[in-house]
Amino acid sequence: MKRPLITVAVLAFTAMTAAHAASITGLKNTGLGASGSADTNYSLSAASSDIVIGNSVPVITYDSQWPIGPWLSNSSSSKWITPTGSQGQSFDAWSAGTYTYSLSFDLSGFNAASASFVGRLAADNAVVVKLNNQVISSASGFTDWSNFSASTGFVSGLNKLDFVVTNWAQNGGNPTGLRVEFGTSSVMAAVPEPETYAMLLGGLALVGALARRRQQH
């Protein structure tokens, strides 16, 4: 009876101490929903130079409407999102506007120091990416992808990614939008607290004592 008991205990210890990698589930591509609907994965804070924007969430674009064409084509993986329901609306006639698209994700129960992700994005016109208020990338252009990534700067619990889009001034024909796709991501399960190890070691000692008693009888 001794060997099965010890084997079970060792397997339990291994299961508790092994680090298991998982994907970061809260990283959502833009445009996951029906065209024309709100993209509720993202929040929007907009400071346009000439238009009052009441939306607190961006809107998912239609595949065949301008400015899709000069903008990268939408796909089944992601779509462009814009500040209003009129994706071709012209903004910022006389000075640049700023549009912050925010995405939150929770790393509770995970080791934040082990987290990482890679992705790609496009913006009309330029974008700065911040993780928990720290700049991790910048890019410009809406006809091709730019890569971005992070392997530091994560925190336990709630994290926030801000995509701060700048729309350069132009008097007419000046829409703005954002497109984001995440690739791979990884985070390790949190390491058990010292108290957990103490309880497990106590259990192993009890298993050993029971095994010795059975051996003596």
Side-chain angles (χ1 to χ4, degrees):
M1 194 69 183
K2 178 180 177 181
R3 184 178 299 276
L5 285 171
I6 293 177
T7 300
V8 169
V10 170
L11 288 174
F13 182 80
T14 302
M16 288 188 67
T17 57
H20 296 287
S23 296
I24 302 175
T25 56
L27 299 179
K28 303 291 187 180
N29 296 348
T30 55
L32 298 182
S35 296
S37 67
D39 188 339
T40 55
N41 292 316
Y42 287 78
S43 63
L44 172 67
S45 174
S48 175
S49 66
D50 58 358
I51 296 195
V52 175
I53 298 170
N55 297 347
S56 59
V57 291
V59 180
I60 301 171
T61 56
Y62 290 89
D63 297 347
S64 57
Q65 292 185 14
W66 191 84
I68 306 298
W71 287 3
L72 286 167
S73 297
N74 287 339
S75 71
S76 59
S77 298
S78 70
K79 295 182 179 181
W80 286 87
I81 53 177
T82 55
T84 70
S86 178
Q87 67 192 59
Q89 184 170 351
S90 186
F91 299 93
D92 311 310
W94 310 113
S95 61
T98 303
Y99 307 82
T100 301
Y101 302 83
S102 300
L103 174 69
S104 297
F105 57 98
D106 195 348
L107 293 182
S108 296
F110 294 94
N111 177 9
S114 71
S116 65
F117 65 74
V118 298
R120 59 183 188 172
L121 78 170
D124 188 345
N125 293 100
V127 59
V128 173
V129 186
K130 298 180 180 180
L131 173 62
N132 298 320
N133 293 319
Q134 299 298 312
V135 175
I136 60 172
S137 185
S138 62
S140 62
F142 48 79
T143 61
D144 205 354
W145 294 105
S146 295
N147 295 324
F148 71 104
S149 63
S151 57
T152 60
F154 298 89
V155 298
S156 299
L158 197 63
N159 291 252
K160 188 173 75 163
L161 274 168
D162 290 320
F163 299 88
V164 185
V165 174
T166 299
N167 190 43
W168 301 330
Q170 179 176 302
N171 187 10
N174 195 26
T176 186
L178 174 70
R179 178 93 172 270
V180 177
E181 281 188 7
F182 289 96
T184 58
S185 66
S186 180
V187 66
M188 309 297 281
V191 177
E193 297 293 329
E195 293 82 359
T196 305
Y197 284 112
M199 291 177 61
L200 182 58
L201 290 173
L204 287 171
L206 179 59
V207 168
L210 290 172
R212 286 193 296 273
R213 287 187 61 186
R214 287 194 172 101
Q215 194 174 43
Q216 291 168 0
H217 289 289

